[in-house]
Amino acid sequence: MDTPDTAPPQDVPPSKDDLLVDSPKGPRRGSGTSATVPALAGPQRGRGKVRIGDRLFAGSSRGSGIVLLVVMAAIAVFLTIRSVNAISHDQGNFLTTFEWNTQEGAPLSFGIAVLAFGTVVSAVIAMIIAVPVAIGVALFISHYAPRRMAQALGYVIDLLAAVPSIVYGLWGALFLVPHMLGVNAWLNQYFGWTYIFGQSQPGAQPRSLFSVGVLLAIMILPIITAVSREIFLQVPRMYEEAALALGATRWEVIRTSVLPFARSGIISASMLGLGRALGETMAVATVLSPSLLLSFHLTDPGGSTIAQNIATQFGESQGVGRDALIASGLVLFLITLLVNGGARLIIARRKEYSGANA
Amino acid sequence: MAKRIDVSGLNAYYGNFRAVEDISMTVEPRSVTAFIGPSGCGKSTFLRTLNRMHEVVPGARVEGKVMLDNEDLYGNGIDPVAVRRTVGMVFQRPNPFPTMSIKENVAAGLKLNGVRNKKMVDEAVERSLKGANLWNEVKDRLDRPGAGLSGGQQQRLCIARAIAVEPQVLLMDEPCSALDPISTLAIEDLIGELKEQFTIVIVTHNMQQAARVSDRTAFFNLSAVGQPGRLIEIDATEKIFSNPSVQATEDYISGRFG
Ligand SMILES: Nc1ncnc2c1ncn2[C@@H]1O[C@H](COP(=O)(O)OP(=O)(O)OP(=O)(O)O)[C@@H](O)[C@H]1O
Ligand SMILES: [Mg+2]
C-alpha cells in the first residue's frame, strides 16, 4: 500500500486552538466563558426580566385571537338568527321538501335535502377521482421524475392551482360537457346495472352531478397534488434509506416509509381539496342544469348543490327568501365542519405513529 | 451464513468528485472489521458501496469490483435490491420507521421478502429482538411505536430489523455515535455475539471501540481536503494499535489518544 506522507488532521485543531488562546487578539475563549456562565446560571433567569418585545408580541397575538373569535361568534349568531327566521316561515319541511321556492310572491317552500345530496355526491365523486390521481402525480414528481422534469411539472401544477374557478367552469361547459356524452353512454352500457351510472333518458345533455364531480376533480387535483408533493419531499431521507437498506424496491420504499409518514399530510391536502369542492359555486353553476330532483342516476342531467343554488337564486330572492339561502349556507358550513372534524379524528387516532416526534 | 468480501480497485464518485480511490481489501467472514480514519476520508462512502447503497445518491457511481464470495456485486444482471437483502446496514442515527410499532419494524424486512406466515414472523421477531439484546426490554410493548424507545433501544431495534432478514454481512456506520456509554457497551457486546453468525464491518471514530470489538482494522486517510480518501493499511487490530506498518496510522492513533 502506498502512503501519502501527511500529518493526520487530528493534530491540527489543538495547535490552532493554542495559538488562538495565546494570541493577543484572541482571548475570546476565556472571557466568553466567564461572562456567560453566571448570566445563564443566575437564579433570576427563571422568572426573567420582562422584555418589551415579548410583551408586545404576546399582547398583539392575544388581541388578534380575541378579535377573530368575536368576529366568528358574530357571524355565527347572525347566520343562526336569519336561518331560524327563514325556517319558521317555511311552508314545507326544511329537511324533506324537494323544492326551493323562495321567489317573491309565491308561498315560501323549501328543503335542503336535494341540495345537500348534490353537494355531497359531487364532492365525493371529485374526491374519488382526484385523490388517487393527485397522490400518483405527486409521487411521480417527488420520487420518479428526473429533476428537470419534476421542477417543470411542479411549476405547472402550482400554476393550475391558481386558475380561477370560473375559467374551469367555462372550460367544463364548453369542452367537458360535450365530451361527457360519450363517457355517459359507455358507462350506461357497461355499468348501467349499478343504477348510479344508468341513464333514464340515454343521450340527454350530460349537465349532471357526475359531470360536475369530474370537473371538480380536475379543479381540486392541482391543490391536492401541490400539497402532497411538498409533504412527500419532506419525508426524511433516513427513513427512505432504512427501507432501501432492507432491500426495498422503489415502490416498496414509498409504501413502507413515504406514504405512512405522509399519511396525515395527505389527509390534510385532501381536506383542502374537499373544502374547495364542497364550496365551489361558479364552475358548478356553469355546468349543471339545476333541478330540484333527487336522483341516484348520477349521469342524468339535473341536481343542485348548496353553493350553486345560492348563486342562482340569490338575485331573485328577497327578505325571507334570502334568509332561506342563508339557512342552506349554514348547512354547508355544518357539512364542512363535520368532514373536517372527521379528518382530525383520523389524524389524531394514530398521532403517536405520525413521526412528528421522531 | 457469513460471507467473505473481496474488494479490488474500487473508486466511488459523487458526480465528478472522486470520494474514495483505488481501494482493495478483504473482509474475513465471521469477524469484525473496523474502519477508522479522519472525518471526510470516505469511510461511509466506501461502506455504502458494499451494499450498493452508494448509488442511491443522485449522480453517485462506483467503479471496481466487490466480490461477495464468488459473486461480483457490481456484475451484470445483479439486482441492487437483492444485494441489499444479503448485506444489511445499520445507520449512524437510529432510524426505526416512525409509523410502525416495534414489532412491525422488526418484521419490515421479512414483509418485503414476502414472508406472510404470522407464526414465522412472530418467531423471527422474537429471535431478532433477542439477538439484538432488546427482547426483555420490549416484550411487553411490541405494539407500541418504535419511535417511543430510547436512542440506544432504537439503535438495537434497527439492528434487530437488520438481522431479522438473516443477511450474510452486516454493515454498521458509527452505530454508537449517538448513544450513551451504557448503550454503547450493550451494542459492543452485541457485536461480539453477532460475529459468530455474520460478517461485520463497523465504521467508528472511537479508537477504544475499534480496539475492543474488531478483529481487523482498516485505516483510511486523505491527503488533503477535496482529495479522494484512500485505504492506508488493513491488518489485525492488535497490530494496527501496537505496531502499525505505516507512520500515518501511528500518527493518527496516537494523536487521538493524545
Ligand atoms: N451525498 C454526497 N454528495 C456529495 N459529496 C459527498 C456526499 N456524501 C459525502 N460526500 C463527500 O465524500 C467525501 C467522503 O465522505 P464520507 O461521508 O464518506 O466521509 P466519512 O469518512 O464517513 O466521514 P465521517 O467520519 O465524518 O462520517 C467527503 O469529502 C464528503 O464531502
Ligand atoms: Mg461517515
Side-chain angles (χ1 to χ4, degrees):
Chain A
M1 251 166 288
D2 140 6
T3 328
D5 191 12
T6 49
Q10 271 59 37
D11 281 355
V12 179
S15 54
K16 251 190 194 160
D17 270 1
D18 292 344
L19 271 178
L20 258 181
V21 173
D22 288 346
S23 78
K25 277 187 184 172
R28 258 189 310 175
R29 238 201 188 176
S31 63
T33 38
S34 59
T36 48
V37 166
L40 282 172
Q44 78 277 24
R45 175 90 187 154
R47 241 169 276 151
K49 246 189 341 214
V50 180
R51 290 188 175 74
I52 188 87
D54 282 351
R55 218 177 211 181
L56 272 177
F57 183 74
S60 62
S61 52
R62 189 175 304 142
S64 335
I66 291 173
V67 168
L68 188 75
L69 282 178
V70 169
V71 171
M72 290 285 288
I75 294 177
V77 168
F78 169 82
L79 290 180
T80 314
I81 292 176
R82 303 287 288 264
S83 307
V84 169
N85 178 37
I87 292 172
S88 65
H89 285 81
D90 192 352
Q91 307 284 319
N93 183 317
F94 185 65
L95 293 179
T96 56
T97 304
F98 287 10
E99 307 182 278
W100 197 273
N101 296 322
T102 55
Q103 285 87 347
E104 266 194 297
L108 279 175
S109 171
F110 53 89
I112 196 71
V114 179
L115 302 181
F117 173 80
T119 306
V120 171
V121 164
S122 58
V124 165
I125 295 172
M127 295 298 282
I128 290 173
I129 300 173
V131 170
V133 178
I135 292 175
V137 176
L139 279 177
F140 178 73
I141 295 176
S142 64
H143 283 79
Y144 287 90
R147 208 164 65 211
R148 277 274 177 71
M149 190 180 184
Q151 269 170 359
L153 263 175
Y155 186 67
V156 171
I157 297 282
D158 287 345
L159 263 184
L160 282 178
V163 171
S165 57
I166 185 67
V167 177
Y168 279 102
L170 287 173
W171 175 83
L174 299 176
F175 179 88
L176 184 69
V177 165
H179 284 81
M180 289 301 290
L181 260 181
V183 176
N184 283 356
W186 185 85
L187 283 173
N188 187 29
Q189 187 176 348
Y190 293 101
F191 295 97
W193 53 269
T194 59
Y195 192 85
I196 55 173
F197 291 124
Q199 283 185 293
S200 42
Q201 324 124 276
Q205 269 294 309
R207 299 186 161 275
S208 59
L209 284 179
F210 183 67
S211 300
V212 168
V214 172
L215 179 66
L216 289 176
I218 295 169
M219 281 185 59
I220 63 178
L221 189 68
I223 182 80
I224 303 180
T225 307
V227 176
S228 304
R229 180 203 50 183
E230 282 309 309
I231 289 154
F232 293 151
L233 287 175
Q234 276 170 17
V235 175
R237 187 80 197 132
M238 64 183 201
Y239 299 125
E240 290 179 44
E241 294 210 329
L244 278 172
L246 285 175
T249 60
R250 187 137 44 161
W251 166 239
E252 287 166 340
V253 169
I254 287 170
R255 231 184 38 204
T256 48
S257 59
V258 178
L259 287 180
F261 195 91
R263 190 169 154 279
S264 60
I266 295 172
I267 294 175
S268 305
S270 308
M271 286 308 115
L272 271 181
L274 181 59
R276 234 187 129 176
L278 286 171
E280 182 47 48
T281 310
M282 286 324 292
V284 180
T286 332
V287 166
L288 207 60
S289 66
S291 76
L292 266 291
L293 286 175
L294 196 154
S295 163
F296 282 92
H297 287 302
L298 302 182
T299 51
D300 274 356
S304 245
T305 75
I306 295 177
Q308 164 268 320
N309 184 63
I310 294 176
T312 340
Q313 302 274 345
F314 192 74
E316 300 165 28
S317 311
Q318 294 292 329
V320 187
R322 287 201 167 170
D323 289 355
L325 293 174
I326 288 176
S328 74
L330 199 63
V331 172
L332 179 58
F333 176 69
L334 285 179
I335 293 175
T336 318
L337 216 62
L338 274 179
V339 166
N340 272 309
R344 265 169 195 278
L345 269 185
I346 296 176
I347 293 174
R349 213 170 33 126
R350 279 174 63 96
K351 203 178 183 71
E352 52 191 1
Y353 287 97
S354 72
N357 50 3
Chain B
M1 288 282 301
K3 288 192 177 175
R4 170 196 310 275
I5 307 173
D6 254 305
V7 182
S8 50
L10 184 130
N11 295 292
Y13 298 82
Y14 292 103
N16 291 323
F17 172 63
R18 171 146 56 164
V20 298
E21 179 176 60
D22 194 26
I23 294 189
S24 301
M25 70 159 70
T26 300
V27 175
E28 301 292 343
R30 288 176 213 284
S31 72
V32 179
T33 303
F35 291 177
I36 61 171
S39 192
C41 69
K43 304 178 297 293
S44 302
T45 304
F46 175 59
L47 191 76
R48 289 163 61 97
T49 64
L50 300 181
N51 68 340
R52 298 197 62 170
M53 279 293 285
H54 179 63
E55 64 208 51
V56 308
V57 176
R61 69 200 158 84
V62 177
E63 287 167 0
K65 257 191 178 172
V66 178
M67 303 294 290
L68 190 66
D69 278 1
N70 297 316
E71 198 173 32
D72 183 1
L73 297 188
Y74 288 91
N76 279 334
I78 297 287
D79 179 6
V81 168
V83 170
R84 294 181 203 130
R85 288 182 187 186
T86 327
V87 184
M89 184 160 205
V90 175
F91 295 82
Q92 177 171 0
R93 274 183 67 192
N95 56 357
F97 296 117
T99 55
M100 294 185 190
S101 69
I102 292 171
K103 187 172 148 187
E104 288 167 332
N105 259 289
V106 181
L110 297 166
K111 242 180 166 173
L112 291 175
N113 279 315
V115 181
R116 288 277 177 275
N117 183 322
K118 202 173 163 317
K119 190 151 162 271
M120 273 170 71
V121 171
D122 285 349
E123 278 169 13
V125 166
E126 181 170 345
R127 180 165 13 95
S128 312
L129 283 171
K130 279 182 174 156
N133 286 339
L134 188 61
W135 175 253
N136 287 330
E137 288 155 73
V138 301
K139 61 172 184 264
D140 301 321
R141 43 172 173 160
L142 290 176
D143 293 318
R144 306 292 305 154
L149 297 173
S150 78
Q153 291 171 326
Q154 286 187 29
Q155 193 63 301
R156 277 178 283 152
L157 178 61
C158 292
I159 294 174
R161 180 176 68 186
I163 61 179
V165 290
E166 308 192 341
Q168 312 281 342
V169 179
L170 195 57
L171 308 175
M172 302 176 137
D173 193 351
E174 302 185 38
C176 303
S177 65
L179 305 183
D180 72 297
I182 293 175
S183 309
T184 301
L185 208 65
I187 289 184
E188 286 179 7
D189 290 345
L190 174 59
I191 291 171
E193 291 166 25
L194 291 175
K195 77 171 180 184
E196 316 273 312
Q197 278 188 66
F198 304 100
T199 304
I200 295 180
V201 182
I202 175 172
V203 174
T204 178
H205 276 288
N206 182 327
M207 301 292 166
Q208 291 101 319
Q209 181 169 69
R212 279 193 300 260
V213 303
S214 72
D215 302 300
R216 282 159 55 86
T217 299
F219 173 59
F220 295 77
N221 205 350
L222 75 179
S223 46
V225 175
Q227 295 295 310
R230 302 171 132 257
L231 173 66
I232 304 304
E233 64 175 315
I234 175 168
D235 214 326
T237 298
E238 304 93 77
K239 175 112 192 320
I240 292 278
F241 281 96
S242 58
N243 183 22
S245 22
V246 181
Q247 183 61 37
T249 315
E250 185 159 3
D251 289 347
Y252 180 74
I253 290 166
S254 53
R256 265 291 153 161
F257 289 132

